[in-house]
Amino acid sequence: FFSNGMGVIQDDYIAFKWYEISHIQGYERATERIANCYLHGIGVPIDITKGINLLEMLANKTENIDFEVVVKCQRGLGDWYYSHNDIKKAIPWFLKASENEDLTSCIALAQIFSEGNEIATDFQKAHSYVSYAQSIGKRKRISTPGLEFSLLLCDGKIYLKENNMKGASDIWTIVSNSFPDLASSSQDTFVIAM
């Protein structure tokens, strides 16, 4: 309640103290929140080492786990390293999360392998992670128009990066026929890239 001011005055320091009490009692979601507080200086001074260590502890946990927290921490570590331009450290965490069927991590891996920063560009892997994300979405029945649109757009951009104009054109045809409203708002970006 203190972290977002629900019914009380918002106070990051007090929120951190409550998270700490829950963490001591073994509540993993509180531990994940504490890690993010340390990483971003919310209620406490920034301490990257403490934040990363807590996320890694949760992300590597294999027994008596809150599975959602584990995957969120795996993705969080991937995001952290990716946003701090350490792609080689981001990839293993995104891989772990994608193995646990995390769609966001699959998309991140598709982007990483299509960009080729710090690693060799691998368009085949990039396309395979888009396909994997699509299959996860279908299997988990979370295939929304927005998700399908994003995955198609991601795949189209990969085709463009590999100079496969036919593949990009085919994807754009699918996007514009299946999602005309969304396609019109993205057309300029896609056409400029082509």
Side-chain angles (χ1 to χ4, degrees):
F1 296 106
F2 286 100
S3 65
N4 58 18
M6 285 183 56
V8 295
I9 295 172
Q10 194 262 340
D11 188 322
D12 292 333
Y13 176 77
I14 293 174
F16 180 84
K17 290 299 179 189
W18 280 108
Y19 292 145
E20 211 169 31
I21 290 167
S22 295
H23 161 69
I24 291 166
Q25 294 173 351
Y27 188 58
E28 293 165 344
R29 291 178 191 262
T31 305
E32 184 263 332
R33 296 264 176 113
I34 287 174
N36 283 309
C37 287
Y38 280 126
L39 290 175
H40 302 288
I42 301 169
V44 293
I46 290 176
D47 189 331
I48 304 299
T49 303
K50 280 185 182 177
I52 294 293
N53 287 343
L54 286 169
L55 285 179
E56 285 182 354
M57 177 192 72
L58 290 170
N60 286 317
K61 200 167 179 189
T62 58
E63 294 179 12
N64 301 321
I65 61 169
D66 181 334
F67 188 71
E68 278 184 39
V69 172
V70 170
V71 175
K72 186 175 180 184
C73 290
Q74 291 167 343
R75 181 182 58 244
L77 285 160
D79 287 339
W80 175 264
Y81 287 121
Y82 185 82
S83 68
H84 289 81
N85 298 316
D86 195 340
I87 306 303
K88 288 183 179 176
K89 283 188 178 177
I91 290 172
W93 292 112
F94 283 137
L95 285 170
K96 282 185 176 193
S98 71
E99 288 167 6
N100 288 314
E101 299 192 335
D102 181 63
L103 289 167
T104 305
S105 295
C106 292
I107 293 167
L109 287 166
Q111 291 173 330
I112 288 169
F113 285 113
S114 70
E115 291 168 356
N117 297 331
E118 287 189 44
I119 60 161
T121 301
D122 189 331
F123 295 117
Q124 186 175 354
K125 276 188 181 178
H127 286 298
S128 72
Y129 279 106
V130 171
S131 295
Y132 184 46
Q134 289 169 327
S135 71
I136 292 168
K138 287 177 184 169
R139 192 170 47 260
K140 290 185 171 183
R141 298 177 193 263
I142 52 173
S143 193
T144 65
L147 173 63
E148 290 176 33
F149 174 77
S150 297
L151 291 171
L152 285 167
L153 210 54
C154 182
D155 217 19
K157 288 178 181 179
I158 295 166
Y159 280 121
L160 288 173
K161 288 177 184 175
E162 62 184 341
N163 291 319
N164 181 341
M165 293 305 145
K166 173 152 180 23
S169 177
D170 291 348
I171 291 290
W172 183 250
T173 300
I174 294 168
V175 167
S176 58
N177 289 336
S178 301
F179 309 100
D181 294 339
L182 292 171
S184 64
S185 66
S186 299
Q187 186 174 10
D188 293 339
T189 306
F190 204 84
V191 170
I192 289 168
M194 288 179 76

